[in-house]
Amino acid sequence: MPDNDARSNNGRGPIRLENDRICVFDRDGVYQARIRTEDNRYLWRSLKTRNQSEAISLARRLFHSIEFRKQSGLPFGSHSVKVSGVMRI
């Protein structure tokens, strides 16, 4: 199945991968990933790198990890829990 990667012409701007399910972009020089997990639901993560090719690799790895967890019925995001008046994450 072809991937249909989309990159901007000038090398700047978002990079879309996996048929638009992954969006890699930089914010203040550090790459971020937005991953579509379900219909109209997204997971945002910092990839903690300034290297574009490393960011793409990390985003794909994160995407496949989330897909595996979804198929296995495991949680793939973090949830906040309020315990005795204190917010714990």
Side-chain angles (χ1 to χ4, degrees), residues 3-44:
D3 187 16
N4 297 338
D5 289 358
R7 300 176 192 220
S8 61
N9 292 337
N10 60 3
R12 307 278 310 152
I15 301 163
R16 299 183 186 282
L17 309 165
E18 300 289 337
N19 294 318
D20 227 15
R21 303 241 354 246
I22 303 171
C23 180
V24 176
F25 58 96
D26 88 15
R27 178 178 291 157
D28 298 325
V30 178
Y31 282 93
Q32 313 285 316
R34 184 188 74 195
I35 298 174
R36 189 172 66 221
T37 58
E38 298 171 9
D39 292 335
N40 299 322
R41 296 193 62 125
Y42 293 90
L43 184 70
W44 300 73

Side-chain angles (χ1 to χ4, degrees), residues 13-81:
I15 301 163
R16 299 183 186 282
L17 309 165
E18 300 289 337
N19 294 318
D20 227 15
R21 303 241 354 246
I22 303 171
C23 180
V24 176
F25 58 96
D26 88 15
R27 178 178 291 157
D28 298 325
V30 178
Y31 282 93
Q32 313 285 316
R34 184 188 74 195
I35 298 174
R36 189 172 66 221
T37 58
E38 298 171 9
D39 292 335
N40 299 322
R41 296 193 62 125
Y42 293 90
L43 184 70
W44 300 73
R45 291 287 185 268
S46 170
L47 299 172
K48 299 178 183 173
T49 184
R50 294 178 182 272
N51 181 300
Q52 186 181 58
S53 60
E54 184 179 0
I56 291 169
S57 175
L58 290 169
R60 285 185 194 272
R61 190 177 311 165
L62 178 61
F63 172 76
H64 292 295
S65 171
I66 290 168
E67 286 295 302
F68 173 78
R69 294 181 69 79
K70 236 171 41 173
Q71 291 172 359
S72 300
L74 300 170
F76 51 82
S78 59
H79 297 282
S80 298
V81 178

